[in-house]
Every structure is written in structure tokens, then in C-alpha cells.
Amino acid sequence: GSDIVRALGQEEQRLGEEVLIPSVCLKDGEDIFLDDIRLGDLGLRLGRPAVRVEATARGMVRTVLNGNSAQAGA
């Protein structure tokens, strides 16, 4: 999580409305990175929602095309 904040924080002006995070980046069944940063905290640090998405091409495309991050994990 902190690595993502560090990398994307430098690109904050170029980020979109949300930051899509593949589920494999998080602990199994939790919205927590291995370094104990919560997905919501990552979003706060980047100034936009951080959204967990299925870690497949289909999951990423579905999330982008639907434009509905509430269903991102579905």
C-alpha cells in the first residue's frame, strides 16, 4: 500500500476519478494491503476512492465499462 501511495502520489494530477486496485494486491478476503494499509486509507491519501477489482482482465474491463465501482468486486 505504501509503495502505491509513493508511486501514484507523484502522479496525482494525472490520476482519474478512482484508483482501481486488483484484489491480489490485498490480503485474502480483506481490504488491507500486506503492510497493513487499508484500501480506504489509500484512497484518502490519494484524494480519490481506491476500489478493489477482480484481478482479471475481465474484472478490470467490467469495472471500467460499468462505471460502477460499487459492483467492482462482483
Side-chain angles (χ1 to χ4, degrees):
S2 59
D3 291 338
I4 294 171
V5 170
R6 192 171 21 260
L8 294 182
Q10 298 172 8
E11 302 292 329
E12 196 168 342
Q13 299 299 325
R14 296 176 57 186
L15 294 178
E17 294 177 16
E18 299 175 324
V19 177
L20 304 181
I21 303 295
S23 58
V24 296
C25 294
L26 302 162
K27 292 181 180 180
D28 192 30
E30 299 181 71
D31 285 345
I32 301 174
F33 292 91
L34 292 177
D35 60 0
D36 292 326
I37 291 180
R38 296 187 176 282
L39 188 61
D41 292 338
L42 178 110
L44 289 174
R45 291 181 186 185
L46 295 175
R48 58 201 30 86
V51 179
R52 177 190 195 120
V53 298
E54 180 185 337
T56 64
R58 178 179 291 173
M60 296 290 262
V61 169
R62 185 179 345 169
T63 300
V64 170
L65 292 178
N66 286 343
N68 185 355
S69 59
Q71 296 179 2

